[in-house]
């Protein structure tokens, strides 16, 4: 159901910020649909799993992973557009 909503909302292959990406399932889905994804999470362990999953899925080149806690997003991503 979530992916149906994402697909209906994001239709033009733009750049998407995912906050709290966990193990990367949604980022991978979006990358496979042609989007460029900045996937963030506060856990470096989760990001490690997510990166490997993206490599295995063949879409790692469309996802940038950054270890950023939600509280720091404004500072860390200042000036970036999504």
């Amino acid at each position: 159901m979530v992916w149906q909503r994402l697909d209906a909302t994001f239709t033009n292959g733009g750049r998407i910020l995912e906050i709290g990406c966990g193990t990367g399932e949604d980022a991978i889905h979006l990358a496979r649909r042609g989007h460029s994804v900045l996937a963030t999470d506060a856990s470096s362990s989760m990001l490690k799993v997510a990166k490997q999953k993206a490599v295995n899925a063949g879409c790692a080149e469309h996802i940038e992973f950054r270890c950023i806690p939600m509280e720091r997003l404004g500072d860390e991503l200042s000036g970036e557009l999504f």
Side-chain angles (χ1 to χ4, degrees), residues 21-24 28 45-55 65:
C21 70
T23 63
I28 290 167
S45 298
M46 288 290 208
L47 289 172
K48 183 177 180 182
V49 172
K51 288 177 188 178
Q52 187 58 55
K53 285 171 78 172
V55 167
F65 294 96

Side-chain angles (χ1 to χ4, degrees), residues 23-44:
T23 63
E25 291 294 322
D26 294 333
I28 290 167
H29 174 79
L30 290 164
R32 285 180 167 165
R33 305 273 303 166
H35 302 285
S36 172
V37 181
L38 173 54
T40 66
D41 202 283
S43 169
S44 59

Side-chain angles (χ1 to χ4, degrees), residues 7-80:
D7 293 345
T9 302
F10 301 110
T11 59
N12 293 337
R15 186 170 185 224
I16 297 173
L17 169 63
E18 184 180 7
I19 300 169
C21 70
T23 63
E25 291 294 322
D26 294 333
I28 290 167
H29 174 79
L30 290 164
R32 285 180 167 165
R33 305 273 303 166
H35 302 285
S36 172
V37 181
L38 173 54
T40 66
D41 202 283
S43 169
S44 59
S45 298
M46 288 290 208
L47 289 172
K48 183 177 180 182
V49 172
K51 288 177 188 178
Q52 187 58 55
K53 285 171 78 172
V55 167
N56 294 346
C59 61
E61 68 275 4
H62 299 289
I63 307 171
E64 178 184 355
F65 294 96
R66 288 195 211 167
C67 190
I68 306 172
M70 283 185 235
E71 300 80 15
R72 302 253 335 126
L73 286 173
D75 294 332
E76 297 284 334
L77 303 179
S78 179
E80 295 196 45

